[in-house]
Amino acid sequence: LADGAAALLLVALALYAGTAFLAEDLRRRTVLPILRRGDARRAIEEDPKGRHTGRAREPGVRKQL
């Protein structure tokens, strides 16, 4: 009984996370809370155009094809 409940809880968590990440990807903003903290939250909340400034000349960075 406990194994089945744990499995159902894990399935529900996976469905919620998958739905949240898909909605975030489609709308380009956080729709459902995913409880991000620290660097992960800053990476999502900061301006995407300002994120890559100064990296164009770093080794390993190519111009977009």
Side-chain angles (χ1 to χ4, degrees), residues 1-59:
L1 184 64
D3 292 340
L8 286 176
L9 180 64
L10 187 60
V11 167
L13 181 64
L15 286 173
Y16 178 82
T19 303
F21 287 130
L22 180 64
E24 183 177 281
D25 192 36
L26 291 174
R27 295 184 185 228
R28 306 243 183 232
R29 63 180 177 87
T30 302
V31 179
L32 298 172
I34 306 174
L35 304 177
R36 283 193 175 107
R37 296 180 310 202
D39 291 337
R41 180 179 288 273
R42 279 191 295 279
I44 294 298
E45 290 177 350
E46 75 179 25
D47 180 30
K49 292 184 180 183
R51 190 178 308 170
H52 300 292
T53 57
R55 294 188 183 176
R57 296 179 184 243
E58 286 187 14

